[in-house]
Amino acid sequence: MREIALVYLDRSGGLQKFVHDCKKYNDSKQSYAVYRFIISINPSDIAELDATLGNYILHNPIQAAEIFQSVCFIAIKTLSLIEQLQTEAQISILLKPTHLPPLPSYVLSLSAFPFNYTSQRFYMSEGIAIAMGTVTKYTQGARFLCTEETCPFSEGRFRYIRVHMPGATESATVRSDFVCSLCSSPLQEDMKFRVLGDKQIVEMIDAKVLNALKGYSSDKSHFRIQTLTVFLR
């Protein structure tokens, strides 16, 4: 699947964009713990190249991102795109589909019951934004070092990297209770390598709420309307 992913990036122009993004990182004087890349993908085109990879992207996007992560790491090392990069864990890939299949199973319904959306795959949802919070910062990635000076992981290599994953809270990325796997000493964040991003909270509600605002209802059955909190990162 790595070979198919590379072929798709080459044919779709994604590889050229990736090289351009790498150049911006390489030319920057700032040090990064994590290098984040957004890759636009067309599920239909990938499915035509390889149905297995196409289904994997649609139904296991987090694991599929690891395939692209490996491909991008090899490309960076082979072409010497980012001199500062040391480990594959420093690469964060966000797969951004251009569309989803027009099938009911890919639509997240805010009014359907029960909510049987247990998988971490892509869904499409439409609704009305009734409230929006201010744009704030969150930690996309961070580097930690061992506090024991005699430990090999107290300096140098990027051994301990924390990267924000979809659905995770802030405490999953940055906490004070991480310990070294070698000597069990506490880990401390190297603040100069923290990578920040923007996030915004939106309250969304199903479009069917407009029927309730008409002042009457032809359906005599009881119903209730509940909002859904969406995190935009």
Side-chain angles (χ1 to χ4, degrees):
M1 287 193 286
R2 290 184 178 90
E3 182 179 351
I4 298 298
L6 180 59
V7 171
Y8 173 75
L9 288 176
D10 186 31
R11 293 183 180 180
S12 65
L15 188 59
Q16 183 179 359
K17 179 181 181 300
F18 173 74
V19 172
H20 181 265
D21 292 339
C22 287
K23 187 177 185 303
K24 290 192 297 183
Y25 276 125
N26 197 46
D27 293 343
S28 175
K29 296 181 180 180
Q30 182 179 350
S31 299
Y32 294 90
V34 176
Y35 299 88
R36 189 168 183 261
F37 301 95
I38 299 177
I39 298 179
S40 296
I41 54 175
N42 186 319
S44 299
D45 291 345
I46 294 182
E48 290 183 4
L49 284 174
D50 185 83
T52 302
L53 180 58
N55 288 327
Y56 203 58
I57 290 174
L58 288 173
H59 301 102
N60 299 280
I62 296 179
Q63 290 77 13
E66 295 176 358
I67 296 176
F68 284 85
Q69 178 188 31
S70 178
V71 171
C72 292
F73 177 73
I74 295 174
I76 290 175
K77 285 301 183 180
T78 303
L79 303 176
S80 301
L81 299 176
I82 302 178
E83 296 179 0
Q84 306 94 322
L85 181 71
Q86 295 185 14
T87 65
E88 184 175 321
Q90 290 180 259
I91 300 177
S92 175
I93 299 296
L94 176 63
L95 299 181
K96 184 178 180 181
T98 57
H99 66 282
L100 293 178
L103 300 172
S105 59
Y106 292 95
V107 178
L108 178 71
S109 174
L110 304 184
S111 60
F113 184 84
F115 291 123
N116 189 24
Y117 302 106
T118 56
S119 66
Q120 294 183 327
R121 65 180 177 89
F122 289 116
Y123 289 99
M124 179 178 63
S125 181
E126 293 183 354
I128 303 171
I130 61 174
M132 299 179 68
T134 58
V135 177
T136 58
K137 296 293 183 182
Y138 79 101
T139 303
Q140 289 183 349
R143 174 198 188 190
F144 288 82
L145 297 174
C146 182
T147 55
E148 174 56 51
E149 295 182 356
T150 59
C151 179
F153 299 146
S154 62
E155 59 182 10
R157 293 183 60 82
F158 288 78
R159 169 70 180 184
Y160 298 110
I161 300 294
R162 303 293 299 180
V163 181
H164 173 81
M165 297 295 290
T169 60
E170 185 80 4
S171 61
T173 308
V174 180
R175 292 205 309 264
S176 59
D177 59 348
F178 296 131
V179 295
C180 178
S181 60
L182 184 62
C183 66
S184 299
S185 299
L187 297 180
Q188 185 176 15
E189 182 185 357
D190 189 352
M191 292 298 297
K192 66 177 178 290
F193 284 95
R194 177 179 286 195
V195 181
L196 299 178
D198 294 332
K199 73 174 180 180
Q200 188 175 23
I201 299 177
V202 177
E203 286 290 323
M204 194 169 73
I205 199 165
D206 195 280
K208 292 182 179 180
V209 70
L210 295 177
N211 295 328
L213 300 179
K214 294 179 181 179
Y216 66 91
S217 176
S218 58
D219 187 0
K220 296 183 180 180
S221 62
H222 297 285
F223 65 92
R224 67 178 182 141
I225 299 169
Q226 184 170 329
T227 61
L228 177 72
T229 302
V230 180
F231 289 82
L232 305 178
R233 297 184 184 270

